[in-house]
Amino acid sequence: MNHLRAVNRKAVRVERATDHDVVALQRNGLPQAPHFPIGCSLVFSPGWEADRTGGTAGLCQPVERDLFDCHIGCYWPAQVPDQLNHAPDWTAKCAAAQKDWRRIDLIFP
Amino acid sequence: MPTRGLRLALDVAVRLLAMFAVLSCGARAAAQTSAATAPGSVGNAEVRDEGIPIRSELVRAKCGSCHRSDQQQRLSRISYRRATPENWERTIKRMATLNKVDLDPADARAILKYLADHQGLAPDEERPIAFEAERRMLEYTYMADKDTADTCSSCHSMARVLAERRTKEEWELLVAMHRGYYPLVDNQPMNGGQGFRRTRPAQTEPGPDGRPPDNRHPMDKALEHLTKTLPLTTSEWATWSAAMQSPKLAGRWAIVGSAAGKGAVYGTVVIAADPGAPDNFTTDTRYTVARTGETVTRTGKAIVYTGYQWRGRGGDAQPWREVLFVERDWRNMWGRWYTGSYDETGIDVKLVRLGSEPMIFGASVTALKSSSTAMPVKIFGANLPATPRVEDVGFGQGVSVARIVSARPDEIALEVNVAPDALIGPRDVSVGGTAMPSALVVYDRIDGLKVNPAAGMARVGGNVFPKQLQQFEAVGINNGLDGKSGTADDLNLGIVSVKWSLEEYPATFGDDDVQFVGTLDQNGLFTPSGDGPNPKRTGNRNNVGDVWVVAELAPGGGGAAAAASGPPAGAATTVRARAHLLVTVPVYMAWFETEGGR
């Protein structure tokens, strides 16, 4: 990069952004998967707490947007109450978690 | 969190499977079917040979309506499993919440005690997974079998599996239970795994060892491994179940502990046996944070399961849990005491039975700087001499006791001088005929810092769900005699007072996490921001993010590997260290008895 100079605005932004210590972009040994800053992507399935790079940039955000989908599909049965067994009425007080998230209960299985 | 396109397909699949489960009687019915046929069923020679008779009338009465008994007093399913108290507790809870067993709390506690005592894990089986009950946050990789690790630990800790011993049929039924309750596990590609069933194309090429490819489902490979590795009958359990006694733990015990961010704690616990109930104890605890002098007193109660698993609780305003492993000599216990919504705040403790002999627990300082005078040091212990003379106390070469300020049997306060030519390195502390090896170190300067833990995690909360905090601490490092960092002779100087700050961990372009995730106080305690969507962030994101936690020590300043009140510790130049902090989403299921969630 020492002999290259940014010639357009996008390249300048890339240069500035990588000026610091962009650790997440330097990690080795991981599959090269793109980061999707917001929302569920179609290309990878991250963990609950962290995405596959160990960060949060690839998580479904906000989590409330995703909760009922996980609930109905029993997708994260250890993290989100499942509708088949433990909490069939979890969504009863709350039609859309993005709006009524304060009415979601913590479940003690 | 899963992909949306995939999830829609999976949702449909779940519903179909759920319908199928209902039509074909589902997992519960499967359990009952097995209850009706397990012992003595065709081809079940192993089961017939192995099961553990259940002689408790209470267990037989409460569980026997669904779990069938055979002529040898073995109950279906229950007799073919051993587990830790925590795993038995979760099973009993599940029987109440999902299978509608009607139990009053006293009966549930008695059943748990009986099962944990008579069908528990032997100490040597529990020892490698003690961190599970201690609720430590650590990264544990199960190396013995990758398929088993992928299959089980995509959702929960592998130690929860290692806390079980079962017959082959019982392992199969456990897998069946998971597939019945959570139909999606069959093809849930979490964390790079592929679910219980093989969802990737079958391999046709032989492996590197020339053998034909193993195209069994991951759950089948896991079953083979679990059956072989974690069987019901083991020599460890045979030995322990015969040798086990109700432990006699009453008496005075020394506590030597370490609290993240605070350093060493020293004190005593007086344990009294509850005459009405064997294995039940009450405790009277008093300890001092050596570095700050803060004193904590607490009363509590505890039960010991399986002869060695201490489970206690105490504290009024802030409840604390105690998980201890009682060694077979009844003279040592070790474990973790914890509190917090996610059990994240804790003290690592060792308890040693106190006799009449003098004992040194440790000192109020972890490091003494060479060439200093009248440094205040406290020695904590038990049965220490009440009127020690200066020559009764020793710190080794280059460190002399200037005067004794005060003395009690549990604490001697004194002042020491450190000579300019004192050799750097660990020192033993001795008082009146007893010595504590490597109780502190002598150093000349702080060459570097280290932040513990190197990777931390917090969870947003406070509005609906509780917060998970994260405590960091900075320890000073001296390069040792070789003057090189990162070598075996480096000296750990203990906690130093540093300037704490957060810095962005740039993971995306325009990353702005540091503005939202929360605050770090000057004691290294990170408190996350509130849960819920944040309208101030793009896309209404939560206050999640990843940031650097930075500790900085200015030249000559920073106050002290020594006591908080001691003189500046002295770094030659500004030294910095950092750790990664992940601030993430809550967990919406409380599988453990957390305190903050209720």
Side-chain angles (χ1 to χ4, degrees), chain B residues 337-549:
Chain B
W337 295 350
Y338 56 79
T339 187
S341 306
Y342 288 88
D343 306 328
E344 72 274 25
T345 304
I347 306 176
D348 301 333
V349 290
K350 278 183 189 169
L351 273 65
V352 181
R353 193 188 279 276
L354 281 172
S356 55
E357 292 291 302
M359 185 187 281
I360 299 174
F361 303 159
S364 61
V365 302
T366 48
L368 289 168
K369 190 169 188 306
S370 64
S371 191
S372 49
T373 51
M375 289 290 296
V377 177
K378 282 181 184 169
I379 298 170
F380 297 90
N383 307 321
L384 298 176
T387 53
R389 296 164 301 169
V390 166
E391 55 268 33
D392 292 337
V393 184
F395 285 86
Q397 183 267 333
V399 183
S400 56
V401 178
R403 73 184 183 101
I404 295 196
V405 178
S406 64
R408 298 199 309 248
D410 61 343
E411 187 182 304
I412 298 174
L414 34 83
E415 289 176 357
V416 300
N417 297 333
V418 187
D421 60 349
L423 197 64
I424 62 170
R427 294 290 193 282
D428 302 350
V429 172
S430 66
V431 181
T434 183
M436 168 92 185
S438 301
L440 46 79
V441 296
V442 170
Y443 72 106
D444 48 7
R445 64 175 183 277
I446 297 179
D447 293 315
L449 289 178
K450 186 175 172 223
V451 179
N452 293 324
M457 190 172 85
R459 293 181 197 272
V460 293
N463 292 322
V464 179
F465 299 96
K467 287 177 194 282
Q468 177 175 342
L469 313 177
Q470 176 67 59
Q471 176 74 56
F472 290 93
E473 66 182 25
V475 296
I477 305 288
N478 178 283
N479 285 344
L481 287 172
D482 67 1
K484 293 178 190 159
S485 69
T487 53
D489 76 340
D490 287 2
L491 301 175
N492 182 332
L493 309 180
I495 293 179
V496 287
S497 300
V498 295
K499 181 172 164 263
W500 290 102
S501 59
L502 293 176
E503 284 179 6
E504 189 59 62
Y505 174 100
T508 59
F509 297 125
D511 207 339
D512 58 356
D513 296 340
V514 75
Q515 298 171 39
F516 297 101
V517 291
T519 54
L520 183 68
D521 73 12
Q522 287 309 305
N523 293 316
L525 179 66
F526 177 81
T527 307
S529 298
D531 48 333
N534 185 348
K536 292 181 181 153
R537 297 197 82 170
T538 51
N540 281 339
R541 276 179 293 166
N542 303 119
N543 292 315
V544 301
D546 28 13
V547 291
W548 286 118
V549 168

Side-chain angles (χ1 to χ4, degrees), chain A residues 21 49 61 69 75 85, chain B residues 7 181 188 459 542 578 584:
Chain A
D21 183 9
E49 281 86 6
Q61 276 290 298
D69 227 0
Y75 198 87
N85 307 298
Chain B
R7 186 120 45 76
Y181 278 143
Q188 211 158 2
R459 293 181 197 272
N542 303 119
R578 60 187 186 176
T584 190

Side-chain angles (χ1 to χ4, degrees), chain B residues 304-322:
Chain B
V304 175
Y305 294 98
T306 335
Y308 69 96
Q309 297 178 94
W310 173 285
R311 301 290 183 263
R313 60 192 308 168
D316 300 321
Q318 185 182 24
W320 279 72
R321 299 279 177 144
E322 299 170 357

Side-chain angles (χ1 to χ4, degrees), chain B residues 261-285:
Chain B
K262 293 188 170 182
V265 305
Y266 304 116
T268 50
V269 188
V270 178
I271 298 176
D274 182 341
D279 300 340
N280 280 248
F281 300 93
T282 56
T283 58
D284 207 339
T285 304

Side-chain angles (χ1 to χ4, degrees), chain B residues 76-153:
Chain B
S76 62
R77 310 261 356 225
I78 304 172
S79 285
Y80 304 91
R81 172 192 181 198
R82 293 189 285 116
T84 57
E86 283 73 21
N87 277 23
W88 278 120
E89 182 185 19
R90 266 193 292 271
T91 301
I92 293 168
K93 280 186 178 170
R94 193 181 70 237
M95 291 299 138
T97 54
L98 297 187
N99 293 354
K100 309 299 176 205
V101 64
D102 188 17
L103 279 180
D104 68 50
D107 285 348
R109 281 194 288 270
I111 291 171
L112 169 61
K113 181 81 171 81
Y114 176 86
L115 291 173
D117 284 353
H118 293 83
Q119 294 174 229
L121 256 57
D124 288 342
E125 295 171 329
E126 164 71 11
R127 204 179 288 273
I129 52 158
F131 62 84
E132 173 82 354
E134 292 168 352
R135 304 284 292 130
R136 290 177 192 276
M137 197 183 83
L138 49 78
E139 194 167 334
Y140 174 78
T141 308
Y142 184 61
M143 301 299 284
D145 187 71
K146 186 174 184 314
D147 286 298
T148 306
D150 285 348
T151 304
C152 304
S153 63

